[in-house]
Amino acid sequence: MVFDKNGTTTVVSQENISLAKFLINLNEAYSKLKNDHIIINLFSFPKLIGSDVLEFLELSNIHKKARKSFVLVTDVVSYDEVPNEICVVPTIQEAKDVIEMEEIERDLEF
């Protein structure tokens, strides 16, 4: 598992591992990440489907309750294929933009 921390945001990525193992590793490492905004880079999983993305929903909800952003990045699953509770975007830059917008919303108490 690779962690790329920049300020209060950490990008998490993984190479050559199953999605199930990635989720196990992510849950184990969560205590180190819980104070950051998290971007999950899923580009190493080219065969994802909408139900795979839902595996992240519980962790996403926990993280958002702590008033932190949790964004998944993949271009194989559209945001239309997943519920609104989970944020999916096609690029890392868009994930950073989402975090910036959510920070503004939190500051304005929306």
Side-chain angles (χ1 to χ4, degrees):
M1 189 165 277
V2 178
F3 302 103
D4 182 17
K5 184 173 171 83
N6 186 2
T8 60
T9 302
T10 299
V11 178
V12 180
S13 54
Q14 181 71 49
E15 297 291 332
N16 301 322
I17 196 169
S18 70
L19 184 62
K21 183 65 176 163
F22 178 72
L23 281 162
I24 290 169
N25 292 345
L26 180 59
N27 281 306
E28 289 174 356
Y30 182 71
S31 63
K32 299 173 193 168
L33 306 170
K34 68 182 181 181
N35 296 320
D36 292 343
H37 302 293
I38 300 174
I39 297 173
I40 305 293
N41 180 346
L42 297 174
F43 285 130
S44 62
F45 302 101
K47 296 181 181 178
L48 284 178
I49 58 174
S51 61
D52 292 332
V53 170
L54 291 178
E55 297 292 325
F56 293 91
L57 185 58
E58 183 179 346
L59 189 58
S60 173
N61 287 339
I62 290 168
H63 203 64
K64 287 181 179 183
K65 281 182 183 172
R67 299 184 48 84
K68 296 293 181 181
S69 297
F70 189 93
V71 185
L72 301 175
V73 180
T74 180
D75 58 358
V76 283
V77 176
S78 167
Y79 65 90
D80 292 331
E81 298 176 55
V82 295
N84 290 337
E85 293 92 7
I86 195 156
C87 183
V88 177
V89 296
T91 68
I92 297 288
Q93 184 57 52
E94 284 182 73
K96 291 176 181 177
D97 292 345
V98 165
I99 289 170
E100 193 173 315
M101 287 188 314
E102 288 179 350
E103 279 280 272
I104 292 168
E105 289 173 358
R106 283 189 283 269
D107 288 346
L108 296 174
E109 297 182 4
F110 280 149

